[in-house]
mmCIF file of all heavy atoms in Angstrom:
data_model
loop_
_atom_site.group_PDB
_atom_site.id
_atom_site.type_symbol
_atom_site.label_atom_id
_atom_site.label_comp_id
_atom_site.label_asym_id
_atom_site.label_seq_id
_atom_site.Cartn_x
_atom_site.Cartn_y
_atom_site.Cartn_z
ATOM 1 N N MET A 1 109.745 137.562 57.062
ATOM 2 C CA MET A 1 111.062 137.194 57.607
ATOM 3 C C MET A 1 111.220 137.744 59.014
ATOM 4 O O MET A 1 110.951 138.916 59.285
ATOM 5 C CB MET A 1 112.141 137.780 56.688
ATOM 6 C CG MET A 1 113.457 137.029 56.808
ATOM 7 S SD MET A 1 114.589 137.599 55.549
ATOM 8 C CE MET A 1 115.893 138.231 56.598
ATOM 9 N N ALA A 2 111.664 136.918 59.920
ATOM 10 C CA ALA A 2 111.769 137.330 61.319
ATOM 11 C C ALA A 2 112.954 138.246 61.533
ATOM 12 O O ALA A 2 113.986 138.127 60.871
ATOM 13 C CB ALA A 2 111.912 136.091 62.200
ATOM 14 N N ASN A 3 112.783 139.162 62.436
ATOM 15 C CA ASN A 3 113.919 139.980 62.838
ATOM 16 C C ASN A 3 114.917 139.130 63.615
ATOM 17 O O ASN A 3 114.526 138.309 64.421
ATOM 18 C CB ASN A 3 113.460 141.121 63.751
ATOM 19 C CG ASN A 3 112.852 142.252 62.967
ATOM 20 O OD1 ASN A 3 113.094 142.381 61.780
ATOM 21 N ND2 ASN A 3 112.091 143.077 63.628
ATOM 22 N N THR A 4 116.186 139.360 63.356
ATOM 23 C CA THR A 4 117.184 138.655 64.136
ATOM 24 C C THR A 4 118.102 139.664 64.800
ATOM 25 O O THR A 4 118.401 140.718 64.251
ATOM 26 C CB THR A 4 118.016 137.699 63.272
ATOM 27 O OG1 THR A 4 118.596 138.419 62.206
ATOM 28 C CG2 THR A 4 117.166 136.585 62.721
ATOM 29 N N THR A 5 118.553 139.298 65.978
ATOM 30 C CA THR A 5 119.517 140.122 66.698
ATOM 31 C C THR A 5 120.619 139.215 67.194
ATOM 32 O O THR A 5 120.455 137.997 67.266
ATOM 33 C CB THR A 5 118.871 140.808 67.906
ATOM 34 O OG1 THR A 5 118.233 139.830 68.696
ATOM 35 C CG2 THR A 5 117.862 141.850 67.471
ATOM 36 N N LYS A 6 121.729 139.798 67.551
ATOM 37 C CA LYS A 6 122.815 138.994 68.094
ATOM 38 C C LYS A 6 122.428 138.500 69.481
ATOM 39 O O LYS A 6 121.768 139.188 70.235
ATOM 40 C CB LYS A 6 124.073 139.859 68.168
ATOM 41 C CG LYS A 6 125.315 139.066 68.474
ATOM 42 C CD LYS A 6 126.502 139.996 68.638
ATOM 43 C CE LYS A 6 127.589 139.303 69.465
ATOM 44 N NZ LYS A 6 127.095 138.893 70.798
ATOM 45 N N CYS A 7 122.873 137.295 69.775
ATOM 46 C CA CYS A 7 122.659 136.735 71.103
ATOM 47 C C CYS A 7 123.195 137.695 72.161
ATOM 48 O O CYS A 7 124.236 138.318 71.981
ATOM 49 C CB CYS A 7 123.384 135.390 71.189
ATOM 50 S SG CYS A 7 123.316 134.648 72.826
ATOM 51 N N ALA A 8 122.456 137.804 73.263
ATOM 52 C CA ALA A 8 122.809 138.784 74.299
ATOM 53 C C ALA A 8 124.020 138.377 75.106
ATOM 54 O O ALA A 8 124.541 139.173 75.888
ATOM 55 C CB ALA A 8 121.610 139.002 75.224
ATOM 56 N N HIS A 9 124.467 137.177 74.958
ATOM 57 C CA HIS A 9 125.678 136.758 75.664
ATOM 58 C C HIS A 9 126.884 137.393 74.971
ATOM 59 O O HIS A 9 127.062 137.244 73.773
ATOM 60 C CB HIS A 9 125.762 135.236 75.635
ATOM 61 C CG HIS A 9 126.949 134.674 76.356
ATOM 62 N ND1 HIS A 9 127.489 135.287 77.455
ATOM 63 C CD2 HIS A 9 127.666 133.558 76.155
ATOM 64 C CE1 HIS A 9 128.518 134.553 77.887
ATOM 65 N NE2 HIS A 9 128.641 133.499 77.100
ATOM 66 N N PRO A 10 127.724 138.134 75.719
ATOM 67 C CA PRO A 10 128.794 138.915 75.093
ATOM 68 C C PRO A 10 129.781 138.103 74.277
ATOM 69 O O PRO A 10 130.307 138.597 73.284
ATOM 70 C CB PRO A 10 129.504 139.566 76.291
ATOM 71 C CG PRO A 10 128.574 139.476 77.426
ATOM 72 C CD PRO A 10 127.640 138.341 77.177
ATOM 73 N N ALA A 11 130.040 136.870 74.663
ATOM 74 C CA ALA A 11 131.026 136.080 73.956
ATOM 75 C C ALA A 11 130.436 135.288 72.802
ATOM 76 O O ALA A 11 131.133 134.556 72.118
ATOM 77 C CB ALA A 11 131.722 135.138 74.929
ATOM 78 N N CYS A 12 129.166 135.455 72.566
ATOM 79 C CA CYS A 12 128.481 134.611 71.589
ATOM 80 C C CYS A 12 128.290 135.344 70.281
ATOM 81 O O CYS A 12 127.982 136.531 70.244
ATOM 82 C CB CYS A 12 127.127 134.196 72.154
ATOM 83 S SG CYS A 12 126.256 133.038 71.096
ATOM 84 N N ASN A 13 128.448 134.616 69.191
ATOM 85 C CA ASN A 13 128.314 135.197 67.848
ATOM 86 C C ASN A 13 127.018 134.812 67.157
ATOM 87 O O ASN A 13 126.802 135.167 66.008
ATOM 88 C CB ASN A 13 129.462 134.700 66.977
ATOM 89 C CG ASN A 13 130.790 135.197 67.484
ATOM 90 O OD1 ASN A 13 130.938 136.360 67.828
ATOM 91 N ND2 ASN A 13 131.775 134.315 67.531
ATOM 92 N N CYS A 14 126.176 134.069 67.811
ATOM 93 C CA CYS A 14 124.949 133.604 67.165
ATOM 94 C C CYS A 14 123.964 134.731 66.960
ATOM 95 O O CYS A 14 124.000 135.748 67.640
ATOM 96 C CB CYS A 14 124.292 132.543 68.044
ATOM 97 S SG CYS A 14 125.239 131.035 68.168
ATOM 98 N N THR A 15 123.066 134.514 66.039
ATOM 99 C CA THR A 15 121.930 135.425 65.915
ATOM 100 C C THR A 15 120.677 134.720 66.439
ATOM 101 O O THR A 15 120.562 133.498 66.382
ATOM 102 C CB THR A 15 121.703 135.838 64.460
ATOM 103 O OG1 THR A 15 121.663 134.684 63.638
ATOM 104 C CG2 THR A 15 122.829 136.742 63.990
ATOM 105 N N VAL A 16 119.772 135.501 66.947
ATOM 106 C CA VAL A 16 118.575 134.989 67.598
ATOM 107 C C VAL A 16 117.362 135.597 66.934
ATOM 108 O O VAL A 16 117.317 136.802 66.708
ATOM 109 C CB VAL A 16 118.594 135.371 69.090
ATOM 110 C CG1 VAL A 16 117.411 134.753 69.819
ATOM 111 C CG2 VAL A 16 119.903 134.955 69.741
ATOM 112 N N SER A 17 116.398 134.783 66.629
ATOM 113 C CA SER A 17 115.151 135.294 66.073
ATOM 114 C C SER A 17 114.285 135.878 67.171
ATOM 115 O O SER A 17 114.261 135.361 68.283
ATOM 116 C CB SER A 17 114.381 134.173 65.393
ATOM 117 O OG SER A 17 115.152 133.596 64.359
ATOM 118 N N ASP A 18 113.551 136.919 66.845
ATOM 119 C CA ASP A 18 112.600 137.470 67.793
ATOM 120 C C ASP A 18 111.623 136.406 68.247
ATOM 121 O O ASP A 18 111.109 135.636 67.454
ATOM 122 C CB ASP A 18 111.817 138.605 67.124
ATOM 123 C CG ASP A 18 112.470 139.959 67.355
ATOM 124 O OD1 ASP A 18 113.529 139.985 67.997
ATOM 125 O OD2 ASP A 18 111.917 140.951 66.874
ATOM 126 N N GLY A 19 111.390 136.351 69.535
ATOM 127 C CA GLY A 19 110.409 135.410 70.053
ATOM 128 C C GLY A 19 110.932 133.994 70.139
ATOM 129 O O GLY A 19 110.149 133.062 70.244
ATOM 130 N N GLY A 20 112.240 133.821 70.085
ATOM 131 C CA GLY A 20 112.806 132.487 70.206
ATOM 132 C C GLY A 20 112.589 131.904 71.591
ATOM 133 O O GLY A 20 112.248 132.620 72.524
ATOM 134 N N PRO A 21 112.809 130.600 71.724
ATOM 135 C CA PRO A 21 112.516 129.902 72.974
ATOM 136 C C PRO A 21 113.386 130.348 74.133
ATOM 137 O O PRO A 21 113.032 130.129 75.275
ATOM 138 C CB PRO A 21 112.738 128.440 72.638
ATOM 139 C CG PRO A 21 113.602 128.439 71.404
ATOM 140 C CD PRO A 21 113.252 129.691 70.651
ATOM 141 N N PHE A 22 114.520 130.968 73.847
ATOM 142 C CA PHE A 22 115.433 131.383 74.915
ATOM 143 C C PHE A 22 115.475 132.891 75.042
ATOM 144 O O PHE A 22 116.441 133.451 75.548
ATOM 145 C CB PHE A 22 116.827 130.810 74.679
ATOM 146 C CG PHE A 22 116.811 129.311 74.500
ATOM 147 C CD1 PHE A 22 117.005 128.757 73.250
ATOM 148 C CD2 PHE A 22 116.605 128.472 75.591
ATOM 149 C CE1 PHE A 22 116.972 127.383 73.077
ATOM 150 C CE2 PHE A 22 116.566 127.092 75.426
ATOM 151 C CZ PHE A 22 116.747 126.553 74.168
ATOM 152 N N GLY A 23 114.438 133.566 74.569
ATOM 153 C CA GLY A 23 114.414 135.019 74.691
ATOM 154 C C GLY A 23 115.496 135.642 73.842
ATOM 155 O O GLY A 23 115.637 135.314 72.664
ATOM 156 N N LYS A 24 116.287 136.504 74.440
ATOM 157 C CA LYS A 24 117.310 137.208 73.663
ATOM 158 C C LYS A 24 118.592 136.395 73.540
ATOM 159 O O LYS A 24 119.578 136.874 73.014
ATOM 160 C CB LYS A 24 117.580 138.563 74.294
ATOM 161 C CG LYS A 24 118.028 138.483 75.725
ATOM 162 C CD LYS A 24 118.170 139.871 76.356
ATOM 163 C CE LYS A 24 118.617 139.752 77.814
ATOM 164 N NZ LYS A 24 118.963 141.055 78.391
ATOM 165 N N TYR A 25 118.579 135.158 74.038
ATOM 166 C CA TYR A 25 119.740 134.289 73.932
ATOM 167 C C TYR A 25 119.489 133.183 72.912
ATOM 168 O O TYR A 25 118.352 132.820 72.652
ATOM 169 C CB TYR A 25 120.062 133.662 75.291
ATOM 170 C CG TYR A 25 120.364 134.676 76.347
ATOM 171 C CD1 TYR A 25 119.393 135.065 77.247
ATOM 172 C CD2 TYR A 25 121.629 135.258 76.426
ATOM 173 C CE1 TYR A 25 119.670 136.020 78.222
ATOM 174 C CE2 TYR A 25 121.902 136.206 77.385
ATOM 175 C CZ TYR A 25 120.926 136.578 78.285
ATOM 176 O OH TYR A 25 121.196 137.524 79.224
ATOM 177 N N CYS A 26 120.583 132.604 72.387
ATOM 178 C CA CYS A 26 120.439 131.586 71.355
ATOM 179 C C CYS A 26 120.185 130.204 71.931
ATOM 180 O O CYS A 26 119.797 129.315 71.219
ATOM 181 C CB CYS A 26 121.691 131.545 70.490
ATOM 182 S SG CYS A 26 123.136 130.860 71.323
ATOM 183 N N SER A 27 120.467 130.032 73.187
ATOM 184 C CA SER A 27 120.451 128.686 73.747
ATOM 185 C C SER A 27 120.321 128.727 75.253
ATOM 186 O O SER A 27 120.514 129.769 75.893
ATOM 187 C CB SER A 27 121.765 127.987 73.390
ATOM 188 O OG SER A 27 122.835 128.678 74.025
ATOM 189 N N GLU A 28 120.026 127.569 75.804
ATOM 190 C CA GLU A 28 119.984 127.423 77.255
ATOM 191 C C GLU A 28 121.318 127.816 77.866
ATOM 192 O O GLU A 28 121.388 128.474 78.903
ATOM 193 C CB GLU A 28 119.671 125.961 77.581
ATOM 194 C CG GLU A 28 119.472 125.681 79.059
ATOM 195 C CD GLU A 28 118.117 126.167 79.529
ATOM 196 O OE1 GLU A 28 117.149 126.021 78.772
ATOM 197 O OE2 GLU A 28 118.056 126.682 80.652
ATOM 198 N N HIS A 29 122.394 127.405 77.216
ATOM 199 C CA HIS A 29 123.725 127.739 77.733
ATOM 200 C C HIS A 29 123.876 129.235 77.908
ATOM 201 O O HIS A 29 124.309 129.723 78.949
ATOM 202 C CB HIS A 29 124.813 127.216 76.792
ATOM 203 C CG HIS A 29 126.171 127.701 77.181
ATOM 204 N ND1 HIS A 29 126.933 127.073 78.149
ATOM 205 C CD2 HIS A 29 126.870 128.778 76.779
ATOM 206 C CE1 HIS A 29 128.056 127.763 78.302
ATOM 207 N NE2 HIS A 29 128.050 128.804 77.492
ATOM 208 N N CYS A 30 123.562 129.983 76.873
ATOM 209 C CA CYS A 30 123.744 131.426 76.936
ATOM 210 C C CYS A 30 122.800 132.064 77.939
ATOM 211 O O CYS A 30 123.156 133.005 78.632
ATOM 212 C CB CYS A 30 123.535 132.031 75.557
ATOM 213 S SG CYS A 30 124.906 131.683 74.451
ATOM 214 N N ARG A 31 121.618 131.547 78.016
ATOM 215 C CA ARG A 31 120.677 132.112 78.966
ATOM 216 C C ARG A 31 121.184 131.946 80.386
ATOM 217 O O ARG A 31 121.097 132.845 81.225
ATOM 218 C CB ARG A 31 119.311 131.472 78.805
ATOM 219 C CG ARG A 31 118.235 132.275 79.529
ATOM 220 C CD ARG A 31 116.871 131.707 79.305
ATOM 221 N NE ARG A 31 116.774 130.360 79.854
ATOM 222 C CZ ARG A 31 115.678 129.627 79.845
ATOM 223 N NH1 ARG A 31 114.583 130.105 79.276
ATOM 224 N NH2 ARG A 31 115.665 128.424 80.346
ATOM 225 N N GLU A 32 121.736 130.793 80.686
ATOM 226 C CA GLU A 32 122.258 130.564 82.040
ATOM 227 C C GLU A 32 123.529 131.353 82.285
ATOM 228 O O GLU A 32 123.783 131.815 83.396
ATOM 229 C CB GLU A 32 122.488 129.076 82.268
ATOM 230 C CG GLU A 32 121.181 128.358 82.364
ATOM 231 C CD GLU A 32 121.351 126.886 82.734
ATOM 232 O OE1 GLU A 32 122.497 126.443 82.870
ATOM 233 O OE2 GLU A 32 120.331 126.210 82.879
ATOM 234 N N ALA A 33 124.349 131.500 81.255
ATOM 235 C CA ALA A 33 125.575 132.294 81.416
ATOM 236 C C ALA A 33 125.225 133.765 81.560
ATOM 237 O O ALA A 33 125.949 134.513 82.212
ATOM 238 C CB ALA A 33 126.479 132.082 80.208
ATOM 239 N N GLY A 34 124.134 134.175 80.946
ATOM 240 C CA GLY A 34 123.657 135.537 81.097
ATOM 241 C C GLY A 34 124.713 136.540 80.664
ATOM 242 O O GLY A 34 125.335 136.382 79.631
ATOM 243 N N ASP A 35 124.932 137.551 81.489
ATOM 244 C CA ASP A 35 125.898 138.569 81.117
ATOM 245 C C ASP A 35 127.240 138.350 81.800
ATOM 246 O O ASP A 35 128.076 139.220 81.831
ATOM 247 C CB ASP A 35 125.355 139.954 81.372
ATOM 248 C CG ASP A 35 124.879 140.123 82.800
ATOM 249 O OD1 ASP A 35 125.136 139.231 83.623
ATOM 250 O OD2 ASP A 35 124.234 141.146 83.072
ATOM 251 N N GLN A 36 127.441 137.182 82.360
ATOM 252 C CA GLN A 36 128.775 136.861 82.860
ATOM 253 C C GLN A 36 129.747 136.849 81.688
ATOM 254 O O GLN A 36 129.407 136.400 80.599
ATOM 255 C CB GLN A 36 128.800 135.468 83.493
ATOM 256 C CG GLN A 36 127.967 135.337 84.739
ATOM 257 C CD GLN A 36 127.962 133.899 85.215
ATOM 258 O OE1 GLN A 36 129.001 133.299 85.405
ATOM 259 N NE2 GLN A 36 126.775 133.329 85.378
ATOM 260 N N THR A 37 130.940 137.302 81.939
ATOM 261 C CA THR A 37 131.911 137.310 80.869
ATOM 262 C C THR A 37 132.648 135.985 80.809
ATOM 263 O O THR A 37 133.408 135.646 81.702
ATOM 264 C CB THR A 37 132.925 138.455 81.079
ATOM 265 O OG1 THR A 37 132.215 139.674 81.165
ATOM 266 C CG2 THR A 37 133.891 138.542 79.912
ATOM 267 N N GLU A 38 132.383 135.254 79.754
ATOM 268 C CA GLU A 38 133.124 134.041 79.491
ATOM 269 C C GLU A 38 134.140 134.330 78.421
ATOM 270 O O GLU A 38 133.892 135.151 77.535
ATOM 271 C CB GLU A 38 132.212 132.938 78.995
ATOM 272 C CG GLU A 38 131.253 132.420 80.018
ATOM 273 C CD GLU A 38 130.479 131.226 79.453
ATOM 274 O OE1 GLU A 38 129.948 131.328 78.338
ATOM 275 O OE2 GLU A 38 130.424 130.209 80.113
ATOM 276 N N LEU A 39 135.276 133.630 78.458
ATOM 277 C CA LEU A 39 136.264 133.844 77.405
ATOM 278 C C LEU A 39 135.754 133.353 76.078
ATOM 279 O O LEU A 39 135.981 133.953 75.036
ATOM 280 C CB LEU A 39 137.567 133.114 77.757
ATOM 281 C CG LEU A 39 138.318 133.709 78.946
ATOM 282 C CD1 LEU A 39 139.578 132.905 79.213
ATOM 283 C CD2 LEU A 39 138.679 135.156 78.685
ATOM 284 N N MET A 40 135.070 132.240 76.090
ATOM 285 C CA MET A 40 134.544 131.677 74.865
ATOM 286 C C MET A 40 133.134 131.204 75.116
ATOM 287 O O MET A 40 132.815 130.692 76.185
ATOM 288 C CB MET A 40 135.389 130.473 74.429
ATOM 289 C CG MET A 40 136.766 130.852 73.925
ATOM 290 S SD MET A 40 137.699 129.367 73.493
ATOM 291 C CE MET A 40 136.606 128.640 72.279
ATOM 292 N N CYS A 41 132.312 131.355 74.123
ATOM 293 C CA CYS A 41 130.972 130.812 74.208
ATOM 294 C C CYS A 41 131.022 129.313 73.992
ATOM 295 O O CYS A 41 131.773 128.830 73.167
ATOM 296 C CB CYS A 41 130.088 131.483 73.181
ATOM 297 S SG CYS A 41 128.409 130.874 73.254
ATOM 298 N N ASP A 42 130.203 128.601 74.712
ATOM 299 C CA ASP A 42 130.187 127.145 74.590
ATOM 300 C C ASP A 42 128.787 126.642 74.262
ATOM 301 O O ASP A 42 128.357 125.608 74.738
ATOM 302 C CB ASP A 42 130.696 126.543 75.915
ATOM 303 C CG ASP A 42 131.034 125.054 75.772
ATOM 304 O OD1 ASP A 42 131.378 124.628 74.661
ATOM 305 O OD2 ASP A 42 130.959 124.342 76.785
ATOM 306 N N CYS A 43 128.097 127.398 73.459
ATOM 307 C CA CYS A 43 126.713 127.019 73.153
ATOM 308 C C CYS A 43 126.633 125.889 72.138
ATOM 309 O O CYS A 43 125.562 125.372 71.872
ATOM 310 C CB CYS A 43 125.922 128.211 72.669
ATOM 311 S SG CYS A 43 126.373 128.790 71.031
ATOM 312 N N LYS A 44 127.761 125.547 71.546
ATOM 313 C CA LYS A 44 127.857 124.419 70.612
ATOM 314 C C LYS A 44 127.276 124.691 69.223
ATOM 315 O O LYS A 44 127.186 123.810 68.401
ATOM 316 C CB LYS A 44 127.192 123.143 71.170
ATOM 317 C CG LYS A 44 127.700 122.728 72.538
ATOM 318 C CD LYS A 44 129.130 122.210 72.459
ATOM 319 C CE LYS A 44 129.411 121.297 73.651
ATOM 320 N NZ LYS A 44 129.271 121.987 74.937
ATOM 321 N N HIS A 45 126.866 125.893 68.977
ATOM 322 C CA HIS A 45 126.408 126.198 67.639
ATOM 323 C C HIS A 45 127.579 126.390 66.695
ATOM 324 O O HIS A 45 128.657 126.781 67.133
ATOM 325 C CB HIS A 45 125.547 127.476 67.658
ATOM 326 C CG HIS A 45 124.208 127.299 68.310
ATOM 327 N ND1 HIS A 45 123.756 128.114 69.303
ATOM 328 C CD2 HIS A 45 123.263 126.364 68.091
ATOM 329 C CE1 HIS A 45 122.544 127.690 69.684
ATOM 330 N NE2 HIS A 45 122.224 126.630 68.963
ATOM 331 N N PRO A 46 127.376 126.161 65.411
ATOM 332 C CA PRO A 46 128.437 126.409 64.433
ATOM 333 C C PRO A 46 128.863 127.868 64.499
ATOM 334 O O PRO A 46 128.032 128.744 64.650
ATOM 335 C CB PRO A 46 127.793 126.108 63.070
ATOM 336 C CG PRO A 46 126.564 125.337 63.372
ATOM 337 C CD PRO A 46 126.137 125.693 64.762
ATOM 338 N N GLY A 47 130.146 128.121 64.425
ATOM 339 C CA GLY A 47 130.619 129.494 64.489
ATOM 340 C C GLY A 47 130.863 129.991 65.880
ATOM 341 O O GLY A 47 131.333 131.083 66.085
ATOM 342 N N CYS A 48 130.590 129.175 66.864
ATOM 343 C CA CYS A 48 130.764 129.560 68.261
ATOM 344 C C CYS A 48 131.641 128.538 68.969
ATOM 345 O O CYS A 48 131.373 128.153 70.066
ATOM 346 C CB CYS A 48 129.423 129.624 68.962
ATOM 347 S SG CYS A 48 128.937 131.297 69.327
ATOM 348 N N ARG A 49 132.596 128.053 68.314
ATOM 349 C CA ARG A 49 133.456 127.046 68.942
ATOM 350 C C ARG A 49 134.828 127.038 68.313
ATOM 351 O O ARG A 49 135.119 127.781 67.421
ATOM 352 C CB ARG A 49 132.826 125.675 68.856
ATOM 353 C CG ARG A 49 132.146 125.394 67.551
ATOM 354 C CD ARG A 49 131.590 124.008 67.522
ATOM 355 N NE ARG A 49 132.589 123.083 68.003
ATOM 356 C CZ ARG A 49 132.457 121.755 67.957
ATOM 357 N NH1 ARG A 49 131.376 121.239 67.474
ATOM 358 N NH2 ARG A 49 133.403 120.970 68.377
HETATM 359 ZN ZN1 LIG B 1 127.404 131.024 71.199
HETATM 360 ZN ZN1 LIG B 2 124.358 132.618 72.383
HETATM 361 ZN ZN1 LIG B 3 124.592 129.829 69.897
#
């Protein structure tokens, strides 16, 4: 079973598997948003909208 951690984007609730395609982020959206503070995550995953 892969280790999972929370997405590194502060407003995001997703979990990310180790070695995922977006590194420590769940999605392209979060990776581009980086550590900027957004009010809401818009990665479109369930639980993040
Ligand atoms: Zn999110
Ligand atoms: Zn995310
Ligand atoms: Zn997400």
Side-chain angles (χ1 to χ4, degrees):
M1 203 172 119
N3 280 340
T4 55
T5 53
K6 191 185 158 301
C7 176
H9 182 31
C12 185
N13 296 315
C14 293
T15 51
V16 184
S17 301
D18 268 1
F22 306 106
K24 58 185 179 171
Y25 300 99
C26 71
S27 63
E28 185 76 38
H29 172 84
C30 287
R31 194 176 63 178
E32 290 186 358
D35 53 11
Q36 294 175 54
T37 303
E38 291 185 311
L39 291 179
M40 290 178 57
C41 181
D42 194 27
C43 71
K44 306 290 203 300
H45 289 129
C48 251
R49 40 178 313 188

